[in-house]
Amino acid sequence: MVLIYWQPIIQASGVPTTAHQLTVHGFIALGLWLGLEGTDLTLDQRRTTWLAIMIPYTLWFAVAWSAAINGAFRTGTSLPVLPVAIWVPVIIGVPLLLSSKRVGQVLDAMPATWLVALQLYRVFGSWALVAALRGALTGLLGWPAGIGDVLTGLFALPVAIAVASGTARGLRAAIIWNIFGLADFAVAITMGAITSPGPLQLIVPDVPSIGTTGAYPGVLTPAFVVPCGVLLHALSLRQLYRRAKPRA
């Protein structure tokens, strides 16, 4: 936070955003494979499942990143690209991930701590706080979104440790943490919608909102990080539910 406040060019370059998302991408790829190794699936089934998840996920990130770089989310385009980027992956991905038996097998084999600790990367949402402090982003969006992200990231490791204890209290803590993380996204999306040009705008801020400029790298947060985070929370909640549900 100090560095990007002192030298805004660091965040504006897109290097931090791209770096932490590529790191998360790598951890997801590795964690998925290790989780698959814990199942009773054959090697061919594990490979097929891994590819069936990682190929669409990688293409999704590549398309979102390329669209952000090339200004596809800037205002003035004929289509509401940013709302589509936020909601379509969630609408398609959540039902698939929550209903897939194969995904359920992976979640059963994977430690519940992984999906929680992974979201440590949410501390990088502090860029919104810095942007609000510098007047580069409306505080109506930057403050609640930034604080919510930082708190979600900071509590990810303590909650993961609590889950690792295997106690009912740890399970409840993880569920509450997931709900808080989802609520943070809901607040950020809502504030972004009502402060950006469009049919839902209720407030015209003195300084830009993300939806006002649609500029890289900030726009990559709602265009990819938010829906990706929603899917991770959904997977974690499904895993926790399966752990809490009595087995026959």
Side-chain angles (χ1 to χ4, degrees):
M1 289 177 66
V2 172
L3 282 174
I4 62 177
Y5 184 84
W6 176 50
Q7 294 290 336
I9 189 63
I10 296 174
Q11 177 63 27
S13 69
V15 171
T17 302
T18 304
H20 78 67
Q21 280 306 303
L22 286 175
T23 302
V24 170
H25 197 92
F27 274 115
I28 289 175
L30 176 61
L32 175 60
W33 182 255
L34 293 176
L36 285 165
E37 285 189 331
T39 67
D40 58 1
L41 300 173
T42 66
L43 179 59
D44 285 342
Q45 288 175 321
R46 295 200 299 269
R47 286 174 177 167
T48 300
T49 302
W50 191 86
L51 290 173
I53 294 174
M54 289 309 302
I55 289 177
Y57 177 56
T58 302
L59 289 175
W60 174 29
F61 175 66
V63 169
W65 184 82
S66 177
I69 285 286
N70 290 290
F73 299 108
R74 291 186 179 276
T75 54
T77 57
S78 57
L79 295 174
V81 182
L82 185 55
V84 170
I86 295 172
W87 291 108
V88 169
V90 173
I91 292 171
I92 294 175
V94 169
L96 288 175
L97 294 176
L98 295 186
S99 61
S100 169
K101 292 182 179 179
R102 188 63 57 84
V103 170
Q105 289 178 282
V106 178
L107 293 176
D108 288 342
M110 182 186 297
T113 55
W114 290 4
L115 287 172
V116 176
L118 178 65
Q119 293 215 47
L120 171 66
Y121 78 89
R122 294 275 288 277
V123 297
F124 287 96
S126 59
W127 74 266
L129 289 175
V130 175
L133 284 171
R134 296 188 62 87
L137 179 68
T138 174
L140 293 170
L141 173 60
W143 284 107
I147 291 173
D149 265 350
V150 170
L151 289 177
T152 302
L154 287 178
F155 279 103
L157 291 184
V159 170
I161 293 171
V163 172
S165 69
T167 63
R169 180 178 296 180
L171 186 68
R172 286 195 299 270
I175 292 172
I176 293 171
W177 173 84
N178 273 294
I179 293 172
F180 178 84
L182 288 170
D184 167 50
F185 285 142
V187 169
I189 292 171
T190 300
M191 295 309 299
I194 67 175
T195 57
S196 301
L200 299 179
Q201 185 174 27
L202 300 176
I203 301 171
V204 180
D206 295 331
V207 294
S209 180
I210 289 178
T212 304
T213 61
Y216 177 83
V219 75
L220 195 59
T221 296
F224 180 77
V225 178
V226 169
C228 180
V230 170
L231 296 181
L232 290 174
H233 279 303
L235 282 170
S236 179
L237 286 170
R238 183 184 181 189
Q239 185 182 44
L240 295 169
Y241 172 76
R242 293 174 70 88
R243 298 292 167 90
K245 184 179 179 181
R247 300 297 177 86

